Amino acid sequence: MWILLQTWTWRATLCALMLRTAGGLNVCVSGSATSCEECLLLHPSCAWCAQEDFGRSRTFTSRCDFMSNLQKRGCESRFIENPVSFTSVLTNRPLSLKGSVASHDDVVQIMPQRISLSLRPGDQTWFNLQVRQVEDYPVDLYYLMDLSLSMKDDLDTIRNLGTKLALEMGKLTSNFRLGFGSFVDKNVSPFSYTAPKYQENPCSGYKPFPNCIPTFGFRHLLSLTDEVDRFNQEVQKQIVSRNRDAPEGGFDAILQAAVCKEEIGWRKDAYHLLVFASDDGAHLALDGRLGGIVQPHDGRCHLDEKNEYSASAQMDYPSLGLVGEKLAENNIFLIFAVTKRHYILYKNLTALIPGTTVEILDQDSKNVIQLIVNAYNNIRSKVELSVWDHPEDLSLSFSATCQDGKPLPGLRKCADLKIGDTVSFNVSVEARSCPPRGADHTFTIKPVGFKDRLEVEVNYRCDCGCSRTAQSNSSICSSVGMYHCGTCRCEPGYLGARCECQEGDSSSYLSACREAEGKQVCSGRGECSCNQCVCYESEFGKIYGGFCECDDFSCARHKGVLCSGHGECHCGECKCYAGFVGDNCNCSTDTASCLSDAGQMCSGRGSCVCGRCQCSEPGAFGDTCEKCPTCPDACGTKRECIECRLFNSGRLADNQTCQRLCKDQVLTVETLNTDDPGAVLCLFKTDNDCVMKFTYSEHASGRSVLTALKEPECGGGPDALMVLLAVVGSILLVGVVLLAAWKLVITVHDRREFARFQSARSRARYEMASNPLYKQPVSTHLVETDFSPFGKSYNGDVH
């Protein structure tokens, strides 16, 4: 049930998405489907109306459309053909916890085990599967060893391998079996020594090791058994052989060990581990041609009565693809245990063979036990899905949910798991087409190396239920046609929706379908049926009119929207809804959006055109031109907001008015930064004669920001006494300076006059002494004295 619920939820989401896009390109109508089956193939959201009287009008109404559109046009739900994809769970046994149960058939590691898919082409459906690496699951390990001469020291090391390996593997599972096989190479030149003297002893003449057994391809020595002593005994019997070239015939041996299930003893309910131990590379397909072997390998078991590979000299080495296929088919994990020198070579092969790991083997194989345990733990820590018999017309996609619980789209594997962990995978399936009738398919999903699998049955929903009630020579079709899913398939020579017209001279009725002579029949957008036009239905909209001359999608558009979304298209002309005008109805007559918060049309800085403000004031912007830092009245407008927001004063002091009109962000600072070139500095005088400063700026986000001082700047009152003293002191200082200047001028003047007097006096004395005839006259001298600061005084002496 949970799978069905998931499928239906996904379909509901898809249908909702498609129906939302139905107003655009309608893929159902544009496909011009003429039958129910054609309609279903167009798109998974397309439905067909089989109702008889559906679409009886002069417009050709498509019976193929989205379900909601068909219902709107009057098609009853019971006549709608719309098959959906769904998943049914057929077998769903719960996952097991442990593998050590009485019957291994009861161990379940994948759930569900069998499901059925009903798929409509193009429609995705989902299902979920879970995988668990159960604890204590049986293990079969087949040790395949290279017995070429270079492996002699390795053979000595593993003589007691069985006991030690059983002891270590017993820590991981209580049900362990061990088998043994060996290989060298094809006993064909140039791969081996083929001269007669080397047939019995290929080491003949080789001084370091002169005796060895004849060359062989693959030899099965011990079937899988829990008697580990038998393994040790069989290993101790072995003697190495010798081949000629470096690569070995290991892939011949791998394939035989994989496909000879009965001889090897692989159990159905166990992990199958095939350990391949070698110190060199391996031959691949086409190498056999060097020895004249051209027959490709057939992928079958070829062990003779001695349990030796009998087709070694007849068939080429197997290809990597064939080896990978047979390993996966028989649920075998291949472990390459190779020397360090060849690690990279075999590491590259693991990418081509699913379920394969590679480990580095010491030169003498002394680490082989730890190597096998590590490889086993590595295998058990991963789960990877593989798909078998995948039908070509199915598309699969995976999403893994590993131990962290997070979906990983596109992945089909999980790693780093612990034994007992459960992981899940979501698988989406989509049918790309309809196969031939009756060709249902099945495919299998299985984890690599697991015997458990999920069987998937696929049924295709390509037929309509109404097809089963088709009527030949139906009266609905004027008895000359087949009534099929609501439509008539007329016999040759008849036409019309109900086969009511006979074909005749086309010119006699086509003229009735032309709007004027020379015009196209039905304007090229319909068919002339029985002297009248039946218009096509377009994915863009409706075509109508007596001559299909009109439609509801050829009108003017604005930004890609027909009639701007504010009108309806009638025969090429937009009929605008109330409140809109213009050729494409893009101009609104409503001016409410142009009113500013203050109730002004475009804030007094522009005009309202088509419901939007066009600002005319330089620097003004905003939806209502309300933003304008450079406008002359910007500071005055913002001043009122500063007053009401910071000081609860001014014209907008009412709280509701302030909240409604002043929505700008107001920041208060201690010191105002006036260096911002994008900010306007505003000042105003408060009621108490203080000065309030703030800046007004517009951010790139469109927000207006006012940055104001926390408090206005106010100066202190003058000190009257200090003013008086300052005035008096200034007057006295000026008087003293003037008096000093006058005194300086008088002193300079008097000294100049006294100097002239002394000069004149000395000249007069000289003249009287030198002239004897001269009689000294009586004269009066006025001597200037300077004892009064307010003027000169003279004392007169008469001689």
Side-chain angles (χ1 to χ4, degrees):
M1 289 300 295
W2 58 272
I3 295 179
L4 291 176
L5 178 60
Q6 185 184 42
T7 301
W8 279 103
T9 302
W10 182 88
R11 280 195 54 79
T13 304
L14 175 65
C15 289
L17 175 64
M18 292 305 303
L19 290 175
R20 284 198 297 270
T21 63
L25 180 62
N26 190 324
V27 295
C28 304
V29 173
S30 62
S32 302
T34 58
S35 69
C36 182
E37 286 74 17
E38 289 180 6
C39 178
L40 299 186
L41 290 174
L42 291 177
H43 194 275
S45 294
C46 295
W48 178 269
C49 179
Q51 187 171 312
E52 177 188 346
D53 57 353
F54 179 74
R56 290 208 170 173
S57 63
R58 294 195 64 188
T59 300
F60 176 77
T61 302
S62 175
R63 292 179 176 271
C64 185
D65 205 337
F66 298 118
M67 178 181 284
S68 60
N69 292 348
L70 295 176
Q71 291 174 332
K72 288 178 183 178
R73 296 206 299 266
C75 186
E76 298 180 24
S77 299
R78 60 193 178 98
F79 292 109
I80 295 179
E81 296 284 342
N82 187 29
V84 296
S85 299
F86 62 89
T87 302
S88 301
V89 178
L90 304 179
T91 306
N92 194 27
R93 294 164 56 201
L95 296 172
S96 301
L97 295 176
K98 284 194 174 185
S100 57
V101 294
S103 174
H104 295 302
D105 292 334
D106 296 332
V107 179
V108 178
Q109 297 187 96
I110 186 171
M111 182 181 76
Q113 297 79 42
R114 188 164 164 260
I115 64 173
S116 173
L117 302 179
S118 292
L119 300 179
R120 174 178 171 178
D123 188 16
Q124 280 189 335
T125 188
W126 295 76
F127 63 87
N128 184 276
L129 63 93
Q130 294 179 305
V131 181
R132 175 182 294 165
Q133 290 271 23
V134 302
E135 300 179 19
D136 197 20
Y137 199 75
V139 176
D140 288 346
L141 188 150
Y142 192 79
Y143 194 85
L144 185 59
M145 186 174 181
D146 179 2
L147 282 188
S148 60
L149 189 58
S150 59
M151 292 287 286
K152 180 180 181 302
D153 54 345
D154 300 77
L155 182 60
D156 295 336
T157 302
I158 69 165
R159 293 197 184 277
N160 294 313
L161 174 65
T163 303
K164 297 176 182 178
L165 187 56
L167 182 63
E168 289 297 323
M169 292 300 294
K171 300 175 183 178
L172 305 175
T173 177
S174 62
N175 195 334
F176 175 67
R177 296 201 309 174
L178 188 60
F180 182 60
S182 62
F183 66 92
V184 182
D185 205 346
K186 295 181 183 296
N187 192 15
V188 175
S189 180
F191 311 119
S192 299
Y193 295 96
T194 58
K197 68 175 182 177
Y198 294 121
Q199 289 301 306
E200 296 298 325
N201 183 11
C203 297
S204 178
Y206 183 65
K207 293 182 179 180
F209 193 78
N211 295 307
C212 57
I213 63 174
T215 306
F216 60 93
F218 164 67
R219 183 174 293 159
H220 169 53
L221 300 170
L222 177 66
S223 299
L224 293 164
T225 178
D226 55 4
E227 300 175 11
V228 295
D229 290 338
R230 291 184 57 195
F231 180 89
N232 296 336
Q233 295 169 6
E234 196 62 45
V235 172
Q236 291 171 6
K237 296 179 189 177
Q238 301 309 307
I239 302 175
V240 295
S241 182
R242 186 187 182 195
N243 61 324
R244 191 170 190 174
D245 62 349
E248 321 291 5
F251 279 94
D252 267 344
I254 290 174
L255 186 62
Q256 291 304 297
V259 298
C260 298
K261 295 181 288 185
E262 295 182 2
E263 291 81 355
I264 302 299
W266 297 115
R267 289 178 292 179
K268 179 180 179 182
D269 300 296
Y271 280 111
H272 300 161
L273 305 183
L274 178 58
V275 179
F276 174 89
S278 178
D279 63 350
D280 219 319
H283 284 293
L284 295 175
L286 302 182
D287 286 356
R289 297 193 177 192
L290 296 173
I293 303 174
V294 297
Q295 181 180 348
H297 205 292
D298 60 7
R300 297 177 182 177
C301 178
H302 294 279
L303 292 185
D304 59 18
E305 64 278 357
K306 296 181 181 179
N307 282 330
E308 288 191 11
Y309 179 38
S310 59
S312 178
Q314 286 77 44
M315 279 194 259
D316 194 6
Y317 299 99
S319 65
L320 290 178
L322 180 60
V323 170
E325 177 186 339
K326 295 304 177 181
L327 289 173
E329 184 179 308
N330 294 284
N331 309 320
I332 296 175
F333 291 104
L334 176 61
I335 302 172
F336 286 122
V338 296
T339 53
K340 186 175 182 180
R341 186 163 59 97
H342 295 92
Y343 175 80
I344 297 299
L345 169 65
Y346 284 93
K347 183 65 176 177
N348 293 334
L349 295 181
T350 62
L352 305 173
I353 307 176
T356 306
T357 60
V358 60
E359 300 286 343
I360 296 178
L361 182 70
D362 288 347
Q363 289 294 334
D364 58 357
S365 297
K366 64 183 179 182
N367 69 328
V368 67
I369 294 178
Q370 189 59 45
L371 178 152
I372 292 173
V373 171
N374 291 342
Y376 175 75
N377 288 330
N378 184 33
I379 290 170
R380 293 298 305 271
S381 69
K382 296 184 294 187
V383 169
E384 181 176 2
L385 298 184
S386 62
V387 181
W388 292 75
D389 302 323
H390 181 191
E392 293 183 358
D393 56 357
L394 288 187
S395 175
L396 301 179
S397 62
F398 293 81
S399 177
T401 303
C402 302
Q403 63 272 30
D404 59 358
K406 297 180 180 178
L408 301 172
L411 291 184
R412 60 169 75 182
K413 65 180 179 179
C414 290
D416 301 325
L417 304 177
K418 297 178 182 178
I419 295 178
D421 283 350
T422 302
V423 295
S424 63
F425 298 89
N426 247 359
V427 186
S428 72
V429 187
E430 178 183 344
R432 292 189 289 265
S433 61
C434 284
R437 193 177 302 276
D440 294 339
H441 296 284
T442 62
F443 64 93
T444 302
I445 297 178
K446 64 187 294 290
V448 175
F450 284 55
K451 63 96 179 175
D452 303 78
R453 63 191 63 204
L454 169 62
E455 299 288 346
V456 183
E457 299 177 2
V458 182
N459 300 305
Y460 295 85
R461 308 200 69 185
C462 299
D463 297 326
C464 296
C466 56
S467 299
R468 294 191 291 267
T469 59
Q471 303 173 14
S472 300
N473 299 321
S474 171
S475 59
I476 300 174
C477 303
S478 306
S479 299
V480 289
M482 174 183 287
Y483 182 70
H484 180 267
C485 293
T487 62
C488 286
R489 297 179 180 177
C490 303
E491 294 181 2
Y494 295 88
L495 48 85
R498 293 292 178 261
C499 307
E500 66 273 24
C501 300
Q502 282 187 289
E503 292 182 354
D505 184 11
S506 59
S507 59
S508 62
Y509 61 85
L510 289 181
S511 59
C513 296
R514 301 181 192 273
E515 188 175 8
E517 189 66 31
K519 294 280 187 178
Q520 286 184 297
V521 174
C522 299
S523 304
R525 304 197 294 180
E527 294 181 355
C528 185
S529 178
C530 298
N531 298 326
Q532 64 179 0
C533 287
V534 178
C535 304
Y536 298 138
E537 197 167 274
S538 170
E539 65 269 25
F540 301 108
K542 182 180 178 181
I543 300 174
Y544 60 98
F547 304 99
C548 304
E549 72 278 11
C550 294
D551 61 60
D552 60 359
F553 54 83
S554 296
C555 294
R557 298 172 182 265
H558 179 65
K559 295 182 178 180
V561 180
L562 189 68
C563 298
S564 305
H566 303 307
E568 295 180 352
C569 181
H570 291 283
C571 208
E573 182 179 353
C574 284
K575 302 296 182 181
C576 301
Y577 300 144
F580 293 91
V581 295
D583 292 340
N584 53 16
C585 304
N586 69 320
C587 188
S588 173
T589 59
D590 185 17
T591 60
S593 59
C594 295
L595 291 176
S596 68
D597 292 335
Q600 285 184 297
M601 188 67 67
C602 298
S603 303
R605 298 170 180 153
S607 57
C608 187
V609 178
C610 292
R612 300 185 66 181
C613 283
Q614 292 186 355
C615 305
S616 56
E617 183 77 23
F621 64 98
D623 291 340
T624 59
C625 306
E626 74 280 6
K627 301 178 185 296
C628 186
T630 59
C631 289
D633 60 340
C635 287
T637 303
K638 301 303 179 182
R639 166 187 173 175
E640 296 177 342
C641 291
I642 293 291
E643 287 179 329
C644 77
R645 293 279 293 275
L646 297 185
F647 308 112
N648 196 26
S649 61
R651 184 176 66 88
L652 306 178
D654 174 63
N655 186 50
Q656 291 185 351
T657 305
C658 185
Q659 295 267 346
R660 180 173 58 85
L661 298 182
C662 299
K663 299 178 180 178
D664 300 334
Q665 182 180 8
V666 179
L667 304 176
T668 56
V669 295
E670 295 286 349
T671 304
L672 198 63
N673 179 18
T674 59
D675 297 334
D676 186 0
V680 177
L681 178 63
C682 302
L683 303 90
F684 65 90
K685 189 174 183 181
T686 63
D687 294 338
N688 54 359
D689 293 331
C690 296
V691 176
M692 186 62 192
K693 296 181 180 179
F694 66 93
T695 59
Y696 168 34
S697 62
E698 295 286 344
H699 280 191
S701 62
R703 294 185 299 109
S704 300
V705 179
L706 305 176
T707 306
L709 292 173
K710 287 186 176 181
E711 298 292 340
E713 294 180 351
C714 301
D719 189 337
L721 179 60
M722 292 299 294
V723 172
L724 178 62
L725 291 176
V727 172
V728 172
S730 299
I731 294 174
L732 291 175
L733 180 61
V734 171
V736 170
V737 171
L738 290 175
L739 183 61
W742 177 76
K743 177 64 177 176
L744 178 63
V745 172
I746 292 300
T747 300
V748 172
H749 179 269
D750 286 350
R751 287 180 178 178
R752 288 178 178 174
E753 289 297 323
F754 182 73
R756 283 197 295 271
F757 168 73
Q758 291 292 348
S759 176
R761 184 179 178 181
S762 57
R763 283 197 302 271
R765 289 176 181 175
Y766 172 78
E767 290 175 356
M768 288 187 293
S770 62
N771 189 1
L773 298 178
Y774 182 73
K775 184 181 181 179
Q776 183 175 355
V778 177
S779 57
T780 302
H781 298 275
L782 297 178
V783 181
E784 181 182 13
T785 61
D786 188 12
F787 301 106
S788 172
F790 302 103
K792 300 177 180 179
S793 64
Y794 300 86
N795 292 326
D797 292 333
V798 178
H799 297 277

Short mmCIF file of all heavy atoms in Angstrom, two decimals, residues 250 331 374 479:
data_model
loop_
_atom_site.label_atom_id
_atom_site.label_comp_id
_atom_site.label_asym_id
_atom_site.label_seq_id
_atom_site.Cartn_x
_atom_site.Cartn_y
_atom_site.Cartn_z
N GLY A 250 44.66 -18.13 -16.33
CA GLY A 250 43.79 -18.00 -15.17
C GLY A 250 42.33 -17.78 -15.50
O GLY A 250 41.44 -18.27 -14.78
N ASN A 331 26.30 -15.68 -8.94
CA ASN A 331 26.43 -14.99 -7.64
C ASN A 331 27.79 -15.23 -6.99
O ASN A 331 27.90 -15.58 -5.82
CB ASN A 331 25.32 -15.44 -6.68
CG ASN A 331 23.95 -15.34 -7.30
OD1 ASN A 331 23.65 -14.38 -7.99
ND2 ASN A 331 23.11 -16.34 -7.07
N ASN A 374 40.09 -9.86 4.84
CA ASN A 374 39.88 -8.46 4.48
C ASN A 374 38.96 -8.34 3.27
O ASN A 374 38.06 -7.48 3.23
CB ASN A 374 41.21 -7.78 4.18
CG ASN A 374 42.07 -7.62 5.42
OD1 ASN A 374 41.57 -7.70 6.55
ND2 ASN A 374 43.35 -7.40 5.21
N SER A 479 -24.73 4.49 -40.24
CA SER A 479 -24.62 3.08 -40.66
C SER A 479 -23.55 2.85 -41.71
O SER A 479 -23.53 1.82 -42.37
CB SER A 479 -25.98 2.57 -41.19
OG SER A 479 -26.95 2.65 -40.15
#
